[in-house]
Amino acid sequence: MFLRGVWLVVRKDLTVEVRSREIAYTTLFFAVSCVLIFAFALVREGRAPDEAAPAVLWVAIAFAGTLALGRTFERERQAETLRALLLAPVDRPAIYAGKLLGMMALLLAAEFVLVPLVALLFQAPLLGHPFWLTGILATGTLGFAAVGTLFAAMLVRARTRDVLLPVLLYPITVPVIIAGVRGTALLLEPELDVALLRFWLALLVTFDVVFVTLALWTFEPLMTD
Amino acid sequence: MRADFDELGVEELSRHFGRRRAVSRITFNVAAGSIVGLLGPNGAGKSTMIGLLATLIRPTSGLIRYGRLVVDAGHAAGQHGAALRAAIGVLGHDLFLYPELSALENLTFFAGLHGVAHPHRAALEALEHAGLDARAHDPVGSFSRGMRQRVALERALIHRPRLVLLDEPFTGLDDASTGRLVSRLEGLREAGTAVLLATHDLDVADGLLDAAVFLKDGRLVDTVVQPSALRATYRQLMARPVS
């Protein structure tokens, strides 16, 4: 029943998004704008500062992710459908997991556009090690979305949710952003330091395990008033 | 697995939000096959009571008996969780529907979440029941308030709940839609469902209710069985000071 609940919520979220394309377009537009602004500011005569590309990539992911997190729960708030989800006889953590996977799908789709764009504008060979890059992006995005989905759900009834979400989210996800930036930067080195790369990846996986577990454990009590 | 019960009992139930007493020491019963009204002015605690009974809000004190299952401040609904929620249907003023999805998609989704055996078939039957089978594939966002309300009612009933909680279901409905909703509620009563109806619409509720629970400022004013002349009774009881 847990997995069925997860699947139903993910499928519903993706169907709603395919119909409206609201979050995908706004997230992508915001992320691309962010990258372009950094490119105009930092790239001089076709040369970008060393290691600017990973920082720009992860800043764009974090900002666009925050926007997407806010919008996806705003959608559930407008017709009070979150209450309907909580009233369903599925394990409430399944609702969290479904929302998390829907958010992951959205952010990974945005990253599919962002990575080649950053690589092009910042002359960074980000796609030189696709296996490692996929690992870092997937684990980093999961960590960011795991914390963000929990906070966005908690704040859905708060009047100041738009302000509170980034205030709460960014300090806690600092390790994800640091590990993501450092791990991605290693991929741009001429010699790949696999040991160090494994360290950053292990940090991201640890963060994911801790926060996904914590979120699944706390979602039920947090969502019961 | 879902909870089965013939009676809902509320005993000395309170819910405080900080220093504010949203509901305070309320006691009443709702038997299977009856429609009980929850009546009172704005701020009387009707919606909080619906939230408590729907397991969305934890009681501060007192208890709720769903047959043998007891929910109180020490034993939150989460412990009975899914089994209890499978036996409850809720229709609020907000309709709990996704406007981007069609009526059929909405009902199929909620039927699936409630573990209905054949969600698609159940959704089609529900739409037929609501007289909306011709609009099954239209997005709910394009429906009138009355049509959305009919879909929302079917959403609340798609898993055949033992207890149906309705919060201001008549708001914004025209006479025809109100009449249809009243007929549906009478049908639920005949089918043995316990119905609790929070409403301001005393004219519609008059003659429909088997009992009326009057609330004011979060407190119980009185419970009247087989109420008649509801508006006069309401005025008389609301003028009475609450101890």
Side-chain angles (χ1 to χ4, degrees), chain A residues 28-45:
Chain A
L28 203 58
F29 180 77
F30 187 72
V32 169
S33 303
C34 198
V35 171
L36 286 176
I37 290 166
F38 277 116
F40 286 130
L42 299 175
V43 180
R44 292 275 180 272
E45 296 169 0

Side-chain angles (χ1 to χ4, degrees), chain B residues 38-120:
Chain B
L38 210 51
L39 309 176
N42 291 332
K46 302 187 295 293
S47 295
T48 304
M49 182 59 74
I50 296 281
L52 283 160
L53 298 177
T55 77
L56 288 171
I57 303 176
R58 271 195 208 98
T60 304
S61 63
L63 55 90
I64 308 168
R65 289 185 195 281
Y66 302 88
R68 288 180 183 176
L69 285 180
V70 176
V71 171
D72 60 22
H75 300 82
Q79 286 179 296
H80 308 302
L84 200 49
R85 293 196 295 273
I88 301 173
V90 180
L91 174 64
H93 176 58
D94 293 300
L95 299 177
F96 305 166
L97 296 170
Y98 294 94
E100 298 88 352
L101 300 184
S102 70
L104 182 61
E105 286 169 332
N106 265 291
L107 292 179
T108 306
F109 170 65
F110 284 109
L113 271 189
H114 280 86
V116 173
H118 303 284
H120 188 77

